[in-house]
Every structure is written in C-alpha cells, then in structure tokens.
Amino acid sequence: MDAIGQPLPVLHRVPGASRPWLWWLLAAHAAVALLWWQLGWKAGLALMVATHLACLWGVFWPRAAMYGPVLSHLPASDRRVWLTIDDGPSDDTPALLDLLDACGAKATFFLVGERAAARPELVREIAARGHGIGNHSHGHPQAWFWALGPARMRREIVQCQETLRAITGCPPRWFRAVVGHANPFVSAPLRDCGLARVAWDVRAFDAVRADPAGVVAHLESALSPGAIVLLHEGSPHGRNVEMIALLLQRMQALGYATVLPEELERSV
C-alpha cells in the first residue's frame, strides 16, 4: 500500500507471449494498402512513412512500451528515488560502495556480463552490501543494440543473466537496455529469463559530461518522488564518483532518500 492506503501497481512486469506490436504493424500496413488504392500513392506513402516512424519511436525512445512493458517511474508518493548505476563493475565500484554506505543509500547496479566475469569479487561485494544487481547485456554493444537480430539479442541477455547468476547465486530480476533502446526481439529472452525492463525518467548524460556541478544541477531540477535516476560508473572522464557524491549530498539537503523497487513490492 502507498502512503494513503492505496494498492501499488505491479512493478516487475515480464513481457507476455503476445506480440501487440505485430498486430499493430499488420493493421497499419493494411491501412496503407487501402489508402494507397483509394487515394493514390502520395497519401499511401505518407501513411507508410508515419507508421515506420512510429516503429522507430518504439526502438529509440527508452520509455516506449511498443515492444514490451517498461518501468520508468516508481509509484512512491514521498521523497524517495531509485538510483540506478550502469556499465559496471569498474574501478569506480569500490569507492561507490563506500560512498553509498556512508550516506545510508541503496542503488541497483546494472552490470555488463563481460565486465562482471572479469571482476566477480566486485559483483559479490555489491550484493553483500545490500544493493540490487541488474542485467545490462553481456557485451554492451552500444552502437548496434537497437538493431540486433533475435539470436544476438538472446545471446546478449541470456549470457549476462547466466554470468550474474553464477557469480551471485541469484538471477537478476531487472534489465536495462543498452542506451535504453529496444526492438521486436527483446521481449522473448526477457520473458524466458523472468526479466522486467527498466528505463528512467531522470538523467543528465553523466557518462559523457565531465562537469559534476552541471550534471548534478540538472539531476536535481528533475528529481521528484518515485524518480528513476540514471547514473553511470567507469566513464572515460573519470568523475562519476565525484558526481554521485555531490548528488547524494544535494539529495540529503532536499530531503530525498533512496529506495529499491523490491522495498515497494513488499509493501503491496
């Protein structure tokens, strides 16, 4: 139940077996053919372009649910937010764990399978400190994740899942798509692994911006109860720990605390 006694919605939504996007696409193409026949090629072509743009929106917009359910905000009514940290484990991980401990904060680390396999002791330490661990693909194919075919998509998700389960003894429940992208082939392996896809509603491009004050100011301006905050570790600019330290300081000043979705699920 939430703060006013209302039941909370289900947060962990694994994709189902149905493919609503496929039926939508078939209906759209039937409409294109009909319009082309009735009104001519200009009208038909315009509708065809529009339907394809809608499909691309489902690929590139992280909160789009065209290719399966996606969680982008928590149903918290008080000042609690979900910190999510992508791309580890990395050299930043030990410092981040100490920082979170010092601030009494919890986060979910969305880990890359190859990096986890290379540094399993860091993965185990994340779990031992009470933080969440999520699946962030096995090889982090940043440039091409959106265009992966069914075999490669399955391999990226399943191999990371198996790697993290072998290290911690517990399979992750959450999946963060690389760059937040999705396509029609993401849902089947998520369903088979029992994974729910997570996006975000607060970000400041901290993986590429080397300005901690500017990054945190942007994050602060977008904070709200239940926000899912996208953060990174191990970025080339080397300032992620500094950014997260400053963010936690500002959150404390504003009266914000952290929450993991499992804590909200237990209160349903």
Side-chain angles (χ1 to χ4, degrees):
M1 308 290 281
D2 66 11
I4 60 174
Q6 297 297 316
L8 292 167
V10 175
L11 303 181
H12 187 264
R13 293 181 297 156
V14 176
S18 63
R19 297 178 175 85
W21 61 269
L22 178 58
W23 298 111
W24 178 89
L25 191 61
L26 291 173
H29 279 76
V32 167
L34 180 62
L35 196 65
W36 203 301
W37 177 54
Q38 293 284 346
L39 300 179
W41 71 270
K42 290 183 179 179
L45 180 61
L47 182 59
M48 184 174 69
V49 170
T51 57
H52 282 74
L53 287 175
C55 291
L56 289 176
W57 171 79
V59 169
F60 293 113
W61 182 244
R63 296 194 285 273
M66 177 174 288
Y67 302 119
V70 57
L71 179 65
S72 57
H73 192 86
L74 294 181
S77 57
D78 54 358
R79 290 196 166 197
R80 291 184 294 171
V81 301
W82 183 12
L83 298 184
T84 64
I85 304 174
D86 286 10
D87 295 354
S90 72
D91 290 341
D92 290 343
T93 305
L96 287 175
L97 292 174
D98 290 342
L99 174 63
L100 291 165
D101 279 354
C103 295
K106 296 297 182 185
T108 296
F109 289 74
F110 284 90
L111 304 179
V112 177
E114 286 181 348
R115 298 169 193 173
R119 309 183 77 166
E121 73 287 351
L122 291 181
V123 180
R124 286 190 284 266
E125 187 65 17
I126 292 170
R129 303 251 195 139
H131 301 288
I133 290 177
N135 181 323
H136 193 40
S137 83
H138 192 71
H140 200 268
Q142 182 169 320
W144 296 107
F145 186 83
W146 65 275
L148 295 184
R152 176 68 186 279
M153 181 69 77
R154 176 172 292 276
R155 189 160 63 249
E156 286 290 336
I157 294 171
V158 172
Q159 194 169 356
C160 180
Q161 190 77 348
E162 292 176 347
T163 296
L164 296 176
R165 180 195 53 76
I167 293 171
T168 67
C170 183
R173 301 174 69 240
W174 306 101
F175 173 74
R176 166 73 49 75
V178 180
V179 202
H181 295 163
N183 70 26
F185 308 119
V186 74
S187 290
L190 293 185
R191 181 174 64 251
D192 294 345
C193 291
L195 286 162
R197 184 158 58 101
V198 179
W200 59 84
D201 55 352
V202 176
R203 73 175 302 180
F205 299 95
D206 61 309
V208 294
R209 292 180 61 184
D211 171 21
V215 165
V216 172
H218 185 91
L219 293 172
E220 180 182 333
S221 70
L223 287 179
S224 65
I228 300 177
V229 183
L230 172 62
L231 302 165
H232 294 83
E233 61 173 296
S235 300
H237 56 62
R239 306 193 73 178
N240 292 129
V241 176
E242 183 181 351
M243 291 173 181
I244 295 174
L246 182 56
L247 174 63
L248 290 169
Q249 178 184 335
R250 292 302 304 148
M251 284 173 53
Q252 186 175 34
L254 294 167
Y256 276 96
T258 61
V259 66
L260 298 179
E262 290 78 10
E263 297 174 56
L264 295 180
E265 288 178 315
R266 286 194 292 268
S267 65
V268 174

